[in-house]
Amino acid sequence: MTSGSDVRPEGRELSRRRFIGRTGSIFGAVALGAIDLPAAAALPLDEQVDALVIGTGYGGCVTALRLAQAGVNVRMVEMGMAWDTPGTDGKVFANTTSPDYRSFWLRTRTRQPLSNFLGFPIDKDVPRYTGILDAEDMGGIVVYQGRGVGGGSLVNGGMAVTPPRSRFPGILPSVDVDEMYDVYYPRANSTLGVSGIDPAWFDTAECYGYARVGRKHAARSGFRFLFVPNVYDWDYMKREAAGAVPESALAGEILYGNNHGKKSLPKTYLAQARATGRVGISPLHRVTGVTPATGVTPATGGYAVTVEQLDTGGAVIATRTVRARRVFFAAGSVGTSKLLVRLKATGALPNLNGEIGAGWGENGNVMCGRANHLWDPTGALQSSIPTAGIDNWAAGGAFAEVAPLPTGIETWASFYLSITNNPHRGRFTWNAAAGKVELNWQTAWKQPSITMAKTIFDKINATEGTIYRTDLFGAYKIWGDHLTYHPLGGAVLNRATDNYGRLHGYTGLYVMDGALIPGNVSVNPFVTITALAERNIERIIAEDF
Ligand code: FAE
C-alpha cells in the first residue's frame, strides 16, 4: 500500500514524476492517466491498486470515502468527464432550456425527456461529445443516467427521500430495518447535506407558485401533499430569489447540471474522500474487463481490470490493464449489470451466479402534465428543484412528484413525475450474435404504472374540471411512459451477492450501487442507494480488510 503523504509536500510536478516512475513497471508510463487532478488527490499507483471503484455515483463515492477513512488507497475510474472546467460560455454546465454539446452523452441529436412542447418537437442537433446526460436506449425503454465525476448527482433533481419505514421490508427484505433507520439513513442524509424547504418561504416564493397550485389541487381531491427534502442549498436559493447571487435553480438549471446551489456528490462525499489524500479519480476512463489476474498470490491479490481511456468524442485513445486487489462495481444499475452479464457470458467471470442481470425495474416512473384553468397560473418563474409530492401509495400505488416545467413562460400546466408500484421486472441478457447486452423490457409493461398514476390525476382532473396535456411527449400523447430516471436492480442484494454486496463466486468483487435494489423503492432512490452502501461498506471493511 502506498501512502498519501507521498504526494503532499512535493507539489504537482514531483508527484507526477514519482507517479510515473512507480507505475511504469507494471501499468505503463501513464497508467490510468490520472490527469487534471489536484496534487493531493493524485495518488501514485503502485504495483497494484488496493481498491478499484468503477463509477463515481452514490455507491462509488460512499465506498471510496469509507475505504479511504479506513486507510485504504482507492482508485476511482469514471467513464464521464470531470465537470470542473467552464465551457465556451464561461459556465461548467448548460441550461435545461438550451442544450448544447455538454448536454448529452455521445449523441448527435438531443433526446429530451419532454420531447415536445405545444405539440412541436423540441429536440435539436448537437455536436457529439462526452456530455453529462445519457439517454440510453435499452430497447423498450430509454434510461436516463448521469455521466461524469459525481454520476447521477450531477443531473438529478436532488429529491432526497427516505421511504416510510413501514414500506422498507417490501423493498429490501433481507436488511435489518432498525439498523437502516437508526444508523444508515441518518448517516446518508447527514453526509449528503439533506434538508427541507422553509415552509413559510415556500408559501410566498414566486418560484414555487407551480408547487402551491399542485398543493391546492391535491388537497381539494383529498390527497396527502408532503414536502420532500432536497440536497439543494435553500439559503442559496433564497439569495437567488433576492437577486444577490448568480441564479441556478431559478435559471432553470437541472437536467444538464447545476452551476450553483446543488450539493452534488463532488461537494459532499467526494470532497471528503479527496481530502483524505487517499483517493485518486480517473475521468474519461471506462472499465471494460475484470478477470482473475494470472499469478495471483494472497499478497498481490486479485483482478486484472481492463480500462479504456476516451477522448471527448468518445474514441478510445488508450487501453490498459490494471491489477486490483479488490474491485467495487458502482457503475449504476445499468452500467454494473451490463458489465457483469457480459463478463459472465464471455468467460471472464464464469462463476457469477444465475441471478446476474435479473430483478431490474424502473421504479415505476411515468410522467404526465395537466392543463390548468386560466385562473390557475403556474408561473413563468419556476424553481427547477422539486420540493413536494402527492402520496397515494397505500390506496393507489403512486407517489407523484410535483415537478417544475421551467420554460421561462407561463404554461398553465402542472407537471408530474410519478413513482408507481409497477410489478414488472426486466432481465439483462447477453446477445452473442450482436456482441452486446440487452434488456427485455416491454413498452406494454408501463400500463400498470399509468393505471396507478391515474388514481391521482383522474381524480384531480374530475375535481378541477381539467384535462391532461397531450403535447409534451408527442402529438396527442398523454403519458411519458417510454423512459425512466430511476433504474434499479440487475445484481440484487442477497441473490446475485451475499447480504452485503459481495458477489457470489469471487472473493474481492463487490456491488455497491443501485443494481443491488430489486427494481423499486417507492420513492426517489438515491438516499436508499447511499444508505445501503454505507451499511454494506461498514461490514466489508470490518470483515474483509
Ligand atoms: P450512478 O449515480 O448512475 O453512477 C454510476 C457512475 O458510473 C456514472 O457516473 C457512470 O458514468 C459510471 N460508469 C458507468 N459504467 C462505467 C464503466 N464501465 N466504467 C467507468 N465508469 C462507468 O449510480 N434520484 C433521487 O433520489 N432523487 C431525484 O430527484 C432524482 N432525480 C433524477 C433526475 C434525473 C434526470 C436522473 C437521470 C436521475 C434522477 N435520480 C434521482 C436517480 C439517481 O440519480 C440515481 O438513482 C443514482 O444516481 C444512482 O446511483 P448509483 O450509485 O447507482
Side-chain angles (χ1 to χ4, degrees), residues 37-84:
L37 293 172
L43 278 177
L45 282 172
D46 214 309
E47 296 192 353
Q48 120 158 10
V49 181
D50 294 320
L52 187 137
V53 178
I54 309 172
T56 57
Y58 293 91
C61 288
V62 171
T63 304
L65 172 61
R66 301 309 175 199
L67 286 173
Q69 287 175 332
V72 179
N73 289 333
V74 181
R75 171 64 47 186
M76 303 184 84
V77 180
E78 168 56 53
M79 69 193 270
M81 298 187 22
W83 298 111
D84 56 2

Side-chain angles (χ1 to χ4, degrees), residues 54-60 77-80 133 144-148 150-153 155-160 255 285-288 330-333 335 339 401 485-488 513-515 524-527 529:
I54 309 172
T56 57
Y58 293 91
V77 180
E78 168 56 53
M79 69 193 270
L133 184 64
Y144 285 90
Q145 296 151 92
R147 294 276 174 250
S153 80
V155 299
N156 67 32
M159 292 179 82
L255 268 185
H285 284 71
R286 177 171 59 200
V287 171
T288 57
S333 159
L339 267 174
E401 165 186 320
Y485 285 176
H486 299 164
L488 294 166
D513 57 17
N524 314 61
F526 75 62
V527 173
I529 294 170

Side-chain angles (χ1 to χ4, degrees), residues 8 55 65 71 146 192-193 209 233 255 263 273 409 464 504 526 532 537:
R8 225 169 280 124
L65 172 61
L192 289 166
D233 179 339
L255 268 185
K263 289 172 277 178
I409 56 168
E464 302 298 325
H504 288 305
F526 75 62
L532 185 65
I537 197 65

Side-chain angles (χ1 to χ4, degrees), residues 53-61 76-81 105 113 132-134 143-161 228-230 254-256 262 265 282 284-289 306-308 330-336 338-339 342 363 365 367 386 401 417 419 484-488 512-517 521 523-530 533:
V53 178
I54 309 172
T56 57
Y58 293 91
C61 288
M76 303 184 84
V77 180
E78 168 56 53
M79 69 193 270
M81 298 187 22
W105 178 257
I132 198 162
L133 184 64
D134 195 352
V143 185
Y144 285 90
Q145 296 151 92
R147 294 276 174 250
V149 173
S153 80
L154 298 168
V155 299
N156 67 32
M159 292 179 82
V161 195
V228 171
N230 204 290
I254 180 166
L255 268 185
Y256 313 128
K262 194 168 84 175
L265 288 168
S282 300
L284 283 175
H285 284 71
R286 177 171 59 200
V287 171
T288 57
T306 310
V307 184
E308 294 177 343
S333 159
V334 175
T336 290
K338 280 180 17 183
L339 267 174
R342 185 166 51 74
N363 213 23
N365 282 187
M367 292 177 177
E401 165 186 320
L417 166 59
I419 294 164
T484 184
Y485 285 176
H486 299 164
L488 294 166
M512 298 301 296
D513 57 17
L516 290 171
I517 297 174
V521 292
V523 293
N524 314 61
F526 75 62
V527 173
T528 297
I529 294 170
T530 306

Side-chain angles (χ1 to χ4, degrees), residues 7 44 46 72 90 95 111 118 136 151 195 206 228 232 248 266 325 331 345 356 375 403 462 486 521:
V7 293
D46 214 309
V72 179
N95 197 285
R111 182 131 197 210
L118 301 173
E136 191 170 2
S195 65
E206 182 190 354
V228 171
Y232 204 84
S248 184
R325 191 172 295 170
I356 294 297
W375 56 84
H486 299 164
V521 292

Side-chain angles (χ1 to χ4, degrees), residues 173-385:
S174 62
V175 174
D176 185 283
V177 181
D178 292 340
E179 250 182 35
M180 285 299 284
Y181 284 77
D182 295 348
V183 180
Y184 302 110
Y185 274 119
R187 186 177 297 171
N189 278 306
S190 130
T191 316
L192 289 166
V194 173
S195 65
I197 192 169
D198 167 1
W201 188 67
F202 174 87
D203 279 343
T204 55
E206 182 190 354
C207 61
Y208 281 113
Y210 74 95
R212 291 195 297 275
V213 170
R215 176 173 65 182
K216 182 173 69 182
H217 291 174
R220 288 206 288 230
S221 286
F223 291 116
R224 201 162 78 96
F225 177 90
L226 39 113
F227 287 119
V228 171
N230 204 290
V231 294
Y232 204 84
D233 179 339
W234 296 111
D235 286 335
Y236 189 88
M237 199 188 296
K238 284 181 179 174
R239 283 183 278 142
E240 288 180 53
V245 291
E247 292 181 344
S248 184
L250 269 53
E253 292 176 353
I254 180 166
L255 268 185
Y256 313 128
N258 281 80
N259 285 299
H260 313 277
K262 194 168 84 175
K263 289 172 277 178
S264 55
L265 288 168
K267 296 183 185 169
T268 57
Y269 271 95
L270 212 45
Q272 283 194 43
R274 282 181 146 140
T276 64
R278 293 188 177 277
V279 178
I281 306 173
S282 300
L284 283 175
H285 284 71
R286 177 171 59 200
V287 171
T288 57
V290 179
T291 197
T294 48
V296 167
T297 69
T300 58
Y303 295 89
V305 181
T306 310
V307 184
E308 294 177 343
Q309 185 177 2
L310 308 176
D311 69 15
T312 54
V316 177
I317 52 176
T319 303
R320 302 179 187 99
T321 302
V322 177
R323 183 179 284 198
R325 191 172 295 170
R326 295 186 176 83
V327 179
F328 294 83
F329 289 82
S333 159
V334 175
T336 290
S337 303
K338 280 180 17 183
L339 267 174
L340 291 175
V341 165
R342 185 166 51 74
L343 296 175
K344 176 174 167 58
T346 56
L349 295 174
N351 299 342
L352 295 174
N353 75 13
E355 293 287 341
I356 294 297
W360 187 84
E362 30 65 277
N363 213 23
N365 282 187
V366 65
M367 292 177 177
C368 69
R370 292 179 37 256
N372 292 320
H373 294 295
L374 288 181
W375 56 84
D376 263 343
T378 45
L381 177 67
Q382 301 197 0
S383 169
S384 61
I385 295 300

